[in-house]
Amino acid sequence: MGVTSDRVEYVCRYGGNGTTTSGVNVSIAAEVTMEIHSVCLPPKESTFQKLKHRLSEIFFPDDPLYRFKDQTWCKKLVLGLQFLFPILQWGSHYDLNLFKSDVVSGLTIASLAIPQGISYAQLANLPPIIGLYSSFVPPLMYSLLGSSRHLAVGPVSIASLVMGTMLSEKVSPVQHPTLYLKLAFTATFFAGLFQASLGFLRLGLVIDFLSKATLVGFMAGAAIIVSLQQLKGFLGIVHFTTKMQLIPVLTSVFHHTKEWSWETIVMGFSFLLLLLTTRHISMKKPKLFWISAAAPLTSVILSTLLVFLIKSKVHGISIIGHLQKGLNPTSTNMLYFNGQYLALAIKTGIVTGILSLTEGIAVGRTFASLKNYQVDGNKEMMAIGLMNMASSCTSCYVTTGSFSRSAVNYNAGAQTAVSNIVLAGTVLVTLLFLMPLFYYTPNVILAAIIITAVIGLIDYKAAYKLWKVDKLDFLACICSFFGVLFISVPLGLGIAVGVSVVKILLHVTRPNTLVLGNIPATQIYQSLNRYKEASRVPSFLILAIESPIYFANSTYLQERLLRWVQEEEERIKANHESTLKCIIIDMTSVTAIDTSGIDMVCELKKMLEKRSLVLVLVNPVGSVMEKMHRSNFLGTNSLFLTVGEAVADISASWKPQP
C-alpha cells in the first residue's frame, strides 16, 4: 500500500472456536471488516513557511502579538505601552479598596525587607546601606515593568551569597573596598543585561537547564554554607575565613575559640529561638503570617535597645555602627568596564543573573497560579533585567523576587504591584530619617535573621521525593549539594547542571525501545512487559521507538532493533513457534528524524530483507513522513496508519488466494 493508494478493504475471517486462522486469540467469532487507511503527507509548505513555523514554535509559543491583531494604529500604540508598562493596564481600574490592601501588605513586607536588606548586603560583603538602597529603587522599577501582582522585590540570600563568594575570591572587600564595590555594581549591570537579553530574544530555555532537582540540592547546600558563615557574627569571632567551603569554615570556627563572646552567643541564641518559634507558628497557622513577618524588625528594635542600655557594661557585642542617611547616590561612575577584573564581573553577573532570574520567575508563577492569572516569563526577564541595569546605576546590587517576602506579601492581601511602591516608600522614610537608629544594632541579630530566612531552603521532603521518583534527578541534586558544600558555590552549580545535561544526553542517545503485543478482543497494542494480558502476534515482531531519531542515537537504535530481532528469533526457535516474517515499528512517538535517522532506517530495511524479513512503519508524524517521502524510502506496503491495520493487511497477503 503506497502513500497515494486508494483505501483497501480486507475481510478477516475468524473460526468458530474464537481463534483466527493464524492463531491469534479473539473473543468474537464473526466476520469483521478491517478498513485499511492510507498514510497521508502533511500539507505542502515552502521552505520559508516551514522555517517561519518552526521559529515561531521555538521562540513564540505564547504568541505575544495576538492582542495587536485587527487593531487600529492608535489602539496598537496603547496596547504596546500597556505591554511595556503593565501598570497602565490595571491602573485605570485601581480603587481605594485595592489601595488599602496594598498599603497593609506593603508595610508588612517592609518590616521584613529592611532587616533582611541589611543582612543580605553583609552576606554579599557589601556595606549594610547598599542593602537598603537595593530595597528602594528595584521595587519602584518592578512596579512599573513587572507583570506579577504579588512578587516582592529586593535582595535575596542565594544571589548575595554567590556574588560575595565569587568576587571575594579575587578581590578582598576589606583591603580593596572601593574596587569591590565597583565590581558588585558592574556585576549587577551585566546580570541585568543578560536577563533583559534573554527576555528580548525569548531565550528563556537557557534557565530551563537549572532543573528543580539541581536547585533543590544547590539551595540546600547554599543554605548550610550561609548558616555556617553566620557563625562569625553568632560567636563574635573577629578573624574568620573568607572561604565558603564546609571544612575551612568549621576549621576557622574551632581555631578561634578564644575569640568567642559569651554575651554575643547568649543574645544570638535567644533571638534565633524567637525567630524560629515565630516562623514555626506562621507555618502551622498561615493566618498568623504577620507574626513571622514582624519578628525580624521586632528583633532588631529589641536587640538595639538592649545593646544601647548595656553598652557601658558589655563591650564584646559587635554592632553595625554608622549608616549614612539619604537617598541612593548615583553609581554610573563606578561601573567597571575595562581592566583585569572585567571578566570576573561579567562571570559573576551571568551566574547571579541566572540564579536570581530563576528564583524570581518561579516565585511569580507560583503565586500567579494561586490567583489564576498568568505571568509572561520572557516579559518578566526583561522587567527584572531592566530593573537590575537601572539599579546598578543607583548604588544597588542584584535583586529579584524573594520567596519569603512574596509569601508575606500574598498572605497580607496584596492585590497589585502597588505594594512594592509602598515598600519603597517605607524604605525611603527609613533612609531619610531613621538611619541613626540602627547604630547600636548588633551584627549577631543580622546573622540570626539570615539563618532563619535560609533554613527554609533546605527541602528534605523534595529530595526524598526525587529519590523515589527519579534516581538520576536525585543524583543531580546530591552532586549539586555536595559540590556547594565541599568545592565552591559556582562550581557546585556547574556540576549539577553538567549532571542534568548528561541526563538529557542519555535520554537522547539511548532512547527507550519496547516490544508490543495485542490486548485480546481489541485493536490495541501495548508493551508486553507492562501489560501482562498482551500477547505476541505469531510471525510478527512489533517494536516501538519512544524518541526522535537523530545522528546521536541512530547507530544505537539500529543495533538495539537488530538485537530485538535476534532475541525474538531465538525465542521462536526455543518454543517451536511460527517463523518470524515481519518487523513492525510503531513510530507514533518518533517526533522528528534527520538524514542520519533516515539512512539508518533504510539500512535496517536492507539488512532485514537479506534475512527474508519485511519491515513496515506505522503512524509516522507529519514532518517524519515528509522527510521519508522526499528520501524515496516509501514503497508499497511500507506504511500503515495503525499496528492493527498493518497486522491485518500483511496477514492477508500471506494467505493463499482462492
Side-chain angles (χ1 to χ4, degrees):
M1 183 191 71
V3 235
T4 58
S5 65
D6 295 328
R7 291 184 300 178
V8 180
E9 287 190 354
Y10 163 64
V11 178
C12 179
R13 300 185 182 276
Y14 296 92
N17 60 354
T19 61
T20 64
T21 53
S22 58
V24 182
N25 292 325
V26 293
S27 60
I28 56 174
E31 185 178 272
V32 179
T33 300
M34 172 67 72
E35 186 177 355
I36 308 302
H37 298 82
S38 60
V39 182
C40 301
L41 286 167
K44 192 172 183 180
E45 291 182 321
S46 66
T47 302
F48 175 76
Q49 289 175 321
K50 292 176 186 176
L51 181 62
K52 179 182 176 182
H53 176 74
R54 186 59 181 156
L55 290 177
S56 67
E57 288 296 312
I58 294 173
F59 297 108
F60 301 97
D62 52 343
D63 190 12
L65 302 178
Y66 76 95
R67 68 185 69 190
F68 297 98
K69 293 178 181 178
D70 303 322
Q71 301 289 346
T72 63
W73 282 106
C74 183
K75 184 65 174 177
K76 287 180 179 179
L77 177 61
V78 172
L79 291 173
L81 289 174
Q82 289 179 346
F83 179 79
L84 293 174
F85 304 101
I87 192 171
L88 298 177
Q89 186 173 357
W90 51 262
S92 58
H93 308 292
Y94 201 71
D95 56 29
L96 185 60
N97 290 328
L98 294 176
F99 181 68
K100 289 178 181 178
S101 299
D102 288 335
V103 167
V104 172
S105 56
L107 293 174
T108 305
I109 57 175
S111 67
L112 179 63
I114 291 172
Q116 279 190 349
I118 296 173
S119 304
Y120 292 158
Q122 291 193 332
L123 190 60
N125 299 318
L126 294 168
I129 190 68
I130 301 297
L132 287 181
Y133 290 159
S134 302
S135 300
F136 171 51
V137 173
L140 281 179
M141 290 289 298
Y142 184 81
S143 65
L144 297 175
L145 301 171
S147 58
S148 173
R149 303 172 195 167
H150 302 96
L151 200 67
V153 172
V156 293
S157 57
I158 297 300
S160 301
L161 169 69
V162 172
M163 175 173 283
T165 304
M166 296 183 70
L167 292 181
S168 60
E169 286 179 352
K170 302 292 184 180
V171 178
S172 170
V174 177
Q175 297 176 1
H176 307 286
T178 304
L179 175 60
Y180 187 89
L181 199 56
K182 287 182 178 181
L183 293 177
F185 293 149
T186 308
T188 301
F189 176 83
F190 281 109
L193 181 63
F194 178 72
Q195 292 166 334
S197 299
L198 287 183
F200 181 76
L201 299 174
R202 306 186 68 82
L203 293 175
L205 53 93
V206 172
I207 64 174
D208 292 339
F209 281 97
L210 287 177
S211 64
K212 182 176 180 184
T214 299
L215 291 175
V216 166
F218 174 78
M219 288 188 175
I224 293 176
I225 290 296
V226 169
S227 300
L228 291 176
Q229 276 287 322
Q230 303 318 302
L231 291 177
K232 174 185 178 181
F234 218 74
L235 302 176
I237 299 174
V238 178
H239 302 90
F240 198 74
T241 180
T242 57
K243 296 181 179 180
M244 289 289 180
Q245 295 83 5
L246 178 66
I247 294 176
V249 170
L250 292 178
T251 301
S252 181
V253 167
F254 291 106
H255 276 188
H256 297 93
T257 53
K258 293 181 180 180
E259 296 182 7
W260 291 15
S261 167
W262 69 268
E263 301 98 331
T264 303
I265 294 173
V266 170
M267 178 177 285
F269 273 104
S270 299
F271 281 97
L272 179 62
L273 182 62
L274 171 65
L275 291 167
L276 291 176
T277 301
T278 57
R279 180 178 180 272
H280 179 73
I281 292 173
S282 295
M283 289 180 64
K284 290 293 183 181
K285 298 182 178 180
K287 290 184 179 180
L288 300 177
F289 69 91
W290 56 269
I291 295 179
S292 62
L297 187 58
T298 304
S299 299
V300 168
I301 295 172
L302 292 177
S303 62
T304 302
L305 286 173
L306 182 61
V307 171
F308 176 75
L309 293 173
I310 64 174
K311 64 179 184 295
S312 59
K313 298 179 181 179
V314 178
H315 302 284
I317 300 178
S318 172
I319 60 176
I320 290 179
H322 174 71
L323 292 178
Q324 181 182 349
K325 289 199 301 183
L327 296 179
N328 300 32
T330 180
S331 55
T332 51
N333 61 326
M334 297 189 71
L335 295 179
Y336 185 96
F337 290 132
N338 54 65
Q340 60 176 326
Y341 297 111
L342 179 59
L344 173 64
I346 295 174
K347 182 173 70 172
T348 304
I350 291 176
V351 174
T352 55
I354 290 176
L355 288 174
S356 59
L357 197 59
T358 303
E359 181 174 356
I361 292 177
V363 173
R365 284 176 173 169
T366 298
F367 291 105
S369 65
L370 294 176
K371 284 293 185 178
N372 196 29
Y373 68 93
Q374 285 188 327
V375 170
D376 186 335
N378 288 292
K379 189 178 175 192
E380 284 293 284
M381 291 180 200
M382 287 191 286
I384 294 174
L386 293 173
M387 175 186 74
N388 278 316
M389 290 176 69
S391 299
S392 68
C393 301
T394 53
S395 300
C396 304
Y397 76 107
V398 174
T399 54
T400 188
S402 161
F403 186 83
S404 59
R405 288 193 292 275
S406 298
V408 170
N409 195 32
Y410 175 83
N411 289 321
Q415 299 296 319
T416 68
V418 170
S419 60
N420 276 300
I421 299 177
V422 176
L423 162 64
T426 308
V427 174
L428 171 63
V429 172
T430 304
L431 287 168
L432 290 177
F433 306 108
L434 305 180
M435 297 312 296
L437 300 180
F438 291 99
Y439 184 89
Y440 288 103
T441 300
N443 285 313
V444 66
I445 291 303
L446 303 181
I449 290 172
I450 291 176
I451 292 174
T452 307
V454 302
I455 199 170
L457 298 177
I458 304 175
D459 194 349
Y460 63 90
K461 291 182 179 178
Y464 178 65
K465 185 178 179 180
L466 290 173
W467 167 257
K468 289 200 305 181
V469 175
D470 192 320
K471 299 300 188 289
L472 278 177
D473 272 349
F474 181 75
L475 177 62
C477 174
I478 289 298
C479 288
S480 179
F481 178 73
F482 286 113
V484 170
L485 282 184
F486 293 103
I487 303 176
S488 72
V489 174
L491 281 179
L493 183 63
I495 291 172
V497 172
V499 172
S500 298
V501 171
V502 169
K503 178 184 175 182
I504 294 172
L505 292 176
L506 281 176
H507 283 302
V508 171
T509 60
R510 295 295 182 268
N512 190 37
T513 59
L514 45 98
V515 181
L516 305 182
N518 177 249
I519 305 292
T522 72
Q523 287 295 320
I524 300 173
Y525 290 79
Q526 288 291 344
S527 168
L528 288 171
N529 186 49
R530 181 179 172 191
Y531 293 87
K532 301 304 179 184
E533 68 271 26
S535 59
R536 297 175 185 270
V537 181
S539 300
F540 287 89
L541 173 60
I542 307 169
L543 302 171
I545 300 174
E546 296 185 332
S547 87
I549 304 177
Y550 291 128
F551 66 92
N553 62 20
S554 58
T555 301
Y556 167 81
L557 282 174
Q558 178 177 308
E559 293 174 352
R560 189 65 187 93
L561 295 175
L562 289 174
R563 180 180 159 194
W564 278 122
V565 173
Q566 180 183 350
E567 290 175 351
E568 180 68 8
E569 288 178 333
E570 292 175 354
R571 188 195 66 79
I572 288 173
K573 185 177 180 180
N575 295 321
H576 306 288
E577 296 180 2
S578 302
T579 306
L580 181 62
K581 298 180 180 179
C582 180
I583 314 298
I584 298 176
I585 299 180
D586 186 351
M587 300 187 70
T588 303
S589 299
V590 179
T591 55
I593 194 169
D594 65 1
T595 53
S596 297
I598 294 173
D599 289 342
M600 182 276 290
V601 176
C602 293
E603 187 175 346
L604 179 66
K605 183 178 181 182
K606 292 176 182 178
M607 296 174 71
L608 293 176
E609 286 175 348
K610 290 179 180 178
R611 299 166 67 168
S612 300
L613 295 173
V614 177
L615 174 66
V616 297
L617 307 180
V618 168
N619 196 28
V621 299
S623 60
V624 173
M625 178 71 181
E626 185 177 22
K627 288 183 180 180
M628 297 182 72
H629 177 65
R630 290 180 181 276
S631 68
N632 296 320
F633 168 80
L634 305 177
T636 305
N637 295 328
S638 295
L639 288 169
F640 290 88
L641 193 59
T642 68
V643 174
E645 292 182 7
V647 171
D649 191 53
I650 295 171
S651 298
S653 67
W654 293 340
K655 294 178 183 178
Q657 300 298 324

